Amino acid sequence: MPKAKVTKDLRPTTSTSAATSRTPVKINTGGTPLWYKIIMFGLMLLGLAWLVVFYVAGDQIGFLRELGPWNYLIGFSGLIVGLLMTMGWR
């Protein structure tokens, strides 16, 4: 098999190419702001607390009694929105 032709680099050799650092540099990717985490965990805890309070004392609290089965929608909505927000957490 024939060998490939070797071409010379026509660029001038400088000392800066030898001084190039090979040390890995950590790239700052941003991260999630604090307010996002507070809202995310707050919604999950609020949804859970809503369901627990409705289950334990729903018949003793007037507005929870009036909402009836809508309490499940409110509680699970908070949980689901909080869990969906975890996909944006970095």
Side-chain angles (χ1 to χ4, degrees), residues 3-84:
K3 293 185 178 181
K5 292 182 181 179
V6 178
T7 58
K8 291 186 177 182
D9 191 12
L10 300 176
R11 291 179 283 164
T13 307
T14 60
S15 63
T16 57
S17 63
T20 304
S21 174
R22 293 283 193 185
T23 306
V25 178
K26 184 176 181 180
I27 299 172
N28 187 5
T29 58
T32 307
L34 181 63
W35 61 266
Y36 189 87
K37 295 175 197 173
I38 291 172
I39 292 173
M40 178 181 67
F41 289 120
L43 282 172
M44 287 190 281
L45 290 174
L46 185 66
L48 180 65
W50 189 282
L51 290 173
V52 168
V53 169
F54 172 66
Y55 182 74
V56 171
D59 56 346
Q60 300 170 359
I61 301 173
F63 72 93
L64 289 179
R65 188 178 335 113
E66 292 174 12
L67 287 174
W70 287 100
N71 286 301
Y72 294 113
L73 179 70
I74 295 169
F76 283 116
S77 295
L79 285 170
I80 291 171
V81 170
L83 287 172
L84 288 174

